[in-house]
Amino acid sequence: MLGRELRTARLVLTPVNWPDLEDMIALKADAGAFGQMLGGVRSRFETEKEMAEDVAFWARRRIGIFAIRENGRFVGITGVHERPDGRGIGLRFSIFPWATGRGLAREAAAAAIRYVLDEGEPRIVAVAKEDNLASRVVLGSIGMRHVETFMRDGNTMFLYEITPA
């Protein structure tokens, strides 16, 4: 395993790897799960390319994206990646629409943030559209603070960050 398994009260998080590919393809093709993400929904080819990047990032940095499972069932992802806009190490989280509304994204993202900060990362950022209230609530509830507002493709974006306490 590239990184370590994380456990919360309800969830098991494992570093994404090739056995997760079909679940990742389904998640990233779901507009309800990935429509708000930078780049939007992904094709199978795009997801395979990103999986290779995620696996390589884990190998290189010992941090990365986790698969989230509840009772053994894949419900989504969380963790960090190098943001393509140069803003640094960025938090990501996405869960299937059928798994929303129970605090799973918050629980998983909080565990991932703790892990990454404990691994020595000095700063983690996250970006959410102004109108993506669900993501903004999660970000605030895990201790990230709004530090900047900017425009991207006609959308007002909020940049959040967290640093070790």
Side-chain angles (χ1 to χ4, degrees):
M1 183 177 298
L2 297 170
R4 72 180 177 95
E5 177 180 281
L6 306 179
R7 290 184 176 270
T8 70
R10 299 179 288 175
L11 306 171
V12 176
L13 284 68
T14 55
V16 293
N17 211 330
W18 293 106
D20 302 311
L21 182 61
E22 294 305 319
D23 289 327
M24 295 290 282
I25 289 167
L27 179 74
K28 291 184 176 190
D30 187 308
F34 242 70
Q36 293 277 353
M37 300 294 271
L38 181 60
V41 296
R42 312 298 205 264
S43 69
R44 180 181 192 91
F45 176 79
E46 290 167 322
T47 301
E48 289 173 354
K49 180 179 179 290
E50 288 179 355
M51 177 65 79
E53 293 166 358
D54 288 343
V55 170
F57 193 74
W58 268 110
R60 191 170 60 255
R61 298 289 305 271
R62 307 283 304 156
I63 56 176
I65 301 294
F66 291 94
I68 307 167
R69 287 187 174 75
E70 179 186 36
N71 299 319
R73 185 178 186 191
F74 180 89
V75 297
I77 60 168
T78 192
V80 297
H81 70 126
E82 186 72 42
R83 286 195 52 84
D85 59 11
R87 293 181 185 275
I89 296 295
L91 175 69
R92 302 186 91 183
F93 56 88
S94 178
I95 62 174
F96 282 109
W98 50 262
T100 61
R102 297 183 292 122
L104 299 180
R106 180 193 45 76
E107 187 175 327
I113 287 285
R114 280 191 307 274
Y115 174 79
V116 173
L117 292 174
D118 287 350
E119 287 294 305
E121 195 61 42
R123 176 177 178 256
I124 302 167
V125 300
V127 175
K129 288 182 183 175
E130 179 182 32
D131 64 359
N132 188 346
L133 297 178
S135 289
R136 291 178 49 211
V137 166
V138 169
L139 295 172
S141 74
I142 62 173
M144 297 193 86
R145 60 190 185 285
H146 176 219
V147 294
E148 181 185 335
T149 302
F150 64 97
M151 297 299 293
R152 183 179 67 211
D153 301 328
N155 295 301
T156 301
M157 308 299 291
F158 287 4
L159 176 72
Y160 291 79
E161 74 174 11
I162 192 168
T163 56

